[in-house]
Amino acid sequence: MIGRNSDILITGGNGNLGRLVAQKFLGQGRRVIKFDVPGTESDHVQENEVVVNGDVRDAQVLEDLIKKYKPDMILHLASLLSGSSEADLSVAWDVNATSSFNLLKLAHENKVRQFFFASTIATYGAVEIDPMPGNYPQWPENLYGVTKVAVERLGVYFKRRHGLDFRCLRFPLVLSPYAPKTAVTAFPSHAIAAAIEGESFVFPVSPQTGVSTIFLEDVVDGIVLYNQASAESLTQHVYNLDAYYLSADLIAREISKRFADFNYTFELIKAVDQMIAGWPGEVNDHDARADWGWTPKFDLTRSVDRVIELIKE
Ligand SMILES: NC(=O)c1ccc[n+]([C@@H]2O[C@H](COP(=O)([O-])OP(=O)(O)OC[C@H]3O[C@@H](n4cnc5c(N)ncnc54)[C@H](O)[C@@H]3O)[C@@H](O)[C@H]2O)c1
C-alpha cells in the first residue's frame, strides 16, 4: 500500500495530457489530485482520485491545496497554449509565468520533493539547423514560448539553489484526437477529424510546412517514465523529445490512403505558416534516450491509425 506522502498533484489535470497522465498514476495505485478550472472535470470520480476546481492564478488556493494534500510530486501542466496566449498577453503571463513561479516557490517552501513542468519546442523560435541540437539557443517568437523559457529557468534556479528535484520536457507538436478546435497549430489532428466526418479540410499552411511531431500516448508514457527515473540517471535539467517529421502534405497523403474521398486544399495563414515552418523538423533527443530510456512507440502510420481509432471511440 502506497502511503499518503506519495500523492501527486496535477495542475491542468483535466486537460488533454493531464487526465491521461493521471490515469497512468491511478493505475499504479497512486493517489492523484487533479486541479483544473471549473467545468472541465468529468462526472465520474475514480478511486484514489481527488478533483479540485480552481484557478492557478490564485496563490492562496495553491497554498491551501499543497498544505492540505502534502503532495510528494507536482506535475504542472496547467497552461494557456500558443493561440490563446497571443490573444491575451496579460492573462497568458499570469497563468503561465506568475502562477508557475508561485507554485515553484510553494513547492520549495512546503518541501515537495519533485516538480515536473511541461515545456515546448516553441521555446526555440526559428531554428536553422535540422536536426536541432539539444543545446540550441532559445529565443522564442511567441509569448507562449517566452513564458515557457522563463519557467524552465525558474525551475532550474529552484533546483540548483534550493534542491527541488525540478524536471522538464520539451514536447514537439502533439498529434492528439482531443486537440481543441481553436488550436490552429493542431491542423494535422483537425484534418483527420474532418476526414472521419466526411468533411473537406483547409490546411492553414503550405504543403511543405512541417514540424517535429509526437503522438499523444507517447508523450503520456514519456512523462510517467521520466518522472520515475532516478535523479542520479539524469544528466540534463530539461530534455527534448522527438518522434517523427510531419508536414501538411504528408498528413494529407496519409489520410487519403485511408479515406479515398478526403477533399483538401491549402489556404495559407501567413502567421501560422511562418511559426510552424520556423520550428525544427527534427530534434536531437539523444539525451532522453540515453539517460532514462525514452523511445517513442508510434511512427506516423501508427499514430494516424490510433488517432482514427480514438476519435471513432
Ligand atoms: N498539446 C501540445 O501540442 C503541447 C506541446 C508542447 C507542450 N504542451 C504543454 O503540455 C501541457 C498540457 O497541454 P495539453 O495539451 O494537455 O493542453 P490542454 O489545454 O488540454 O490542458 C491544459 C489544462 O490547463 C487548464 N488551465 C488553463 N488555465 C488554467 C487556470 N488558470 N487554472 C487552472 N487550470 C488552467 C485547462 O483547463 C486545461 O485543462 C501544457 O503546459 C502545454 O503547454 C502541450
Side-chain angles (χ1 to χ4, degrees):
M1 178 83 183
I2 293 168
R4 180 183 166 84
N5 64 2
S6 71
D7 289 358
I8 300 171
L9 168 63
I10 306 183
T11 72
N14 301 331
N16 194 21
L17 296 178
R19 61 197 171 79
L20 295 179
V21 172
Q23 206 52 47
K24 293 272 172 182
F25 281 113
L26 286 166
Q28 294 179 1
R30 307 278 296 256
R31 189 159 81 138
V32 175
I33 300 105
K34 289 162 80 175
F35 181 77
D36 210 310
V37 291
T40 56
E41 69 278 17
S42 81
D43 297 336
H44 174 66
V45 179
Q46 302 171 66
E47 198 187 338
N48 278 337
E49 183 186 52
V50 180
V51 176
V52 182
N53 290 336
D55 193 314
V56 281
R57 286 173 290 178
D58 190 334
Q60 189 59 53
V61 166
L62 295 181
E63 182 168 0
D64 294 347
L65 195 62
I66 291 177
K67 287 202 184 322
K68 180 171 180 186
Y69 293 104
K70 300 181 177 58
D72 173 59
M73 176 158 75
I74 295 176
L75 305 178
H76 182 34
L77 307 181
S79 177
L80 294 194
L81 304 186
S82 52
S84 32
S85 295
E86 225 52 45
D88 193 331
L89 304 182
S90 302
V91 174
W93 186 261
D94 287 348
V95 173
N96 291 10
T98 307
S99 305
S100 300
F101 169 73
N102 291 338
L103 198 57
L104 278 160
K105 185 165 162 282
L106 285 166
H108 153 59
E109 289 167 352
N110 291 278
K111 301 189 169 39
V112 174
R113 187 181 56 82
Q114 192 169 316
F115 189 108
F116 171 77
F117 180 64
S119 190
T120 163
I121 59 164
T123 55
Y124 287 104
V127 172
E128 305 293 338
I129 308 172
D130 245 355
M132 185 193 73
N135 61 354
Y136 198 82
Q138 288 172 291
W139 291 106
E141 289 180 355
N142 60 14
L143 190 79
Y144 173 65
V146 172
T147 62
K148 294 286 184 178
V149 178
V151 181
E152 287 188 18
R153 300 295 181 271
L154 279 170
V156 175
Y157 160 78
F158 277 101
K159 180 178 180 181
R160 286 182 168 156
R161 186 70 182 249
H162 298 291
L164 179 67
D165 185 352
F166 174 78
R167 302 184 182 200
C168 180
L169 296 176
R170 291 185 202 109
F171 309 131
L173 190 84
V174 177
L175 190 71
S176 163
Y178 316 115
K181 283 218 155 58
T182 50
V184 276
T185 54
F187 64 83
S189 316
H190 298 155
I192 299 173
I196 293 172
E197 293 297 324
E199 294 168 359
S200 55
F201 188 76
V202 181
F203 285 93
V205 296
S206 75
Q208 291 74 33
T209 299
V211 63
S212 164
T213 302
I214 192 169
F215 178 56
L216 175 72
E217 290 176 347
D218 270 332
V219 179
V220 170
D221 287 345
I223 294 174
V224 174
L225 186 67
Y226 173 53
N227 279 292
Q228 292 184 328
S230 71
E232 297 71 43
S233 65
L234 304 179
T235 62
Q236 310 294 317
H237 299 309
V238 181
Y239 289 87
N240 287 328
L241 299 189
D242 184 68
Y244 50 84
Y245 174 75
L246 184 59
S247 66
D249 183 46
L250 276 172
I251 189 73
R253 279 193 275 149
E254 204 61 39
I255 295 170
S256 299
K257 283 185 207 163
R258 294 159 179 82
F259 299 89
D261 296 339
F262 180 49
N263 184 17
Y264 58 92
T265 51
F266 298 92
E267 280 177 29
L268 196 139
I269 301 174
K270 206 171 163 200
V272 178
D273 190 75
Q274 275 178 349
M275 181 165 65
I276 294 174
W279 289 342
E282 187 183 343
V283 173
N284 183 335
D285 62 357
H286 173 265
D287 289 328
R289 289 171 188 263
D291 288 1
W292 50 274
W294 159 249
T295 329
K297 296 186 196 75
F298 289 85
D299 59 11
L300 173 57
T301 305
R302 284 197 67 201
S303 299
V304 173
D305 286 340
R306 182 75 178 131
V307 170
I308 292 170
E309 198 178 300
L310 288 169
I311 292 179
K312 283 186 173 169
E313 269 175 25

